[in-house]
Amino acid sequence: MSHKGLRRAVTIPVLGLIDVLLVVLLPLWVPVTLVYDLVRGKFRLPTTRLMLFGLCWAWIESAGVMLLFLLWVVGHGRDHRAHYRVQGWWCGRIIAALRVTVGLRVEVVGAEKVGQGPYVVFCRHASLADSIISCFIVNNTMGFHPRYVLKSDLEMVPCLDLLGNRTPDRKSTRLNSSHEWISRMPSSA
């Protein structure tokens, strides 16, 4: 089994286990996190809301994996447009879950002034949420089909793994100081 196959043989079942555990243990963790937040005087319930987002994320992630599996089964495993639609759906659902559970609002100002491109967009990502927000803005709001340079660590997230390997994205490691992949970016267009 390849490294990629082995990684997916671990991450996808673990995701399914997380889905099931979060639902089955819901009657336990909701009251525990509520009490934990209230005892600490956190009346906006940050721990509970974050756990509820985790529940949403896990099921959105699983739904995305299923959609990507179905694309592969019906012979669209190399159809970039179909994968960009799944990516847009996935980003949109995660942003919606963040809005409902933790109150995140994404406001894009000046989108109507952006032309067709091509563009090079540099985003500073301090967290996975930053990556999702930039994906949402570039893909969903602007309607672009971007080519990402992703940290190879993000392949541990099943949807990012599958999407990143089925669209013309590139992987980079923190230890890789060579940036020869930048010169190959235009050739993958």
Side-chain angles (χ1 to χ4, degrees), residues 14-62:
V14 166
L15 174 64
L17 181 63
I18 291 169
D19 290 342
V20 171
L21 286 175
L22 284 172
V23 170
V24 169
L25 297 175
L26 187 88
L28 177 66
W29 64 257
V30 168
V32 168
T33 59
L34 283 170
V35 169
Y36 176 73
D37 283 336
L38 293 173
V39 165
R40 295 179 331 151
K42 306 288 185 180
F43 300 110
R44 294 190 65 213
L45 310 173
T47 308
T48 305
R49 291 167 53 201
L50 184 62
M51 288 294 293
L52 288 170
F53 169 72
L55 173 69
C56 293
W57 168 82
W59 283 97
I60 293 165
E61 190 76 15
S62 291

Side-chain angles (χ1 to χ4, degrees), residues 60-61 63-65 67-68 71 79-95 131-141 143-150 159-169:
I60 293 165
E61 190 76 15
V65 168
L67 286 171
L68 293 166
L71 283 179
D79 181 348
H80 291 171
R81 287 190 190 278
H83 285 81
Y84 281 122
R85 283 193 298 274
V86 172
Q87 184 178 46
W89 174 87
W90 179 76
C91 286
R93 297 300 70 75
I94 290 179
I95 293 294
S131 301
I132 300 300
I133 292 169
S134 63
C135 172
F136 177 76
I137 291 169
V138 172
N139 193 328
N140 296 41
T141 304
F144 294 152
H145 295 154
R147 290 168 177 83
Y148 290 99
V149 177
L150 299 169
C159 270
L160 288 177
D161 177 18
L162 294 167
L163 284 166
N165 283 290
R166 293 185 186 176
T167 55
D169 296 338

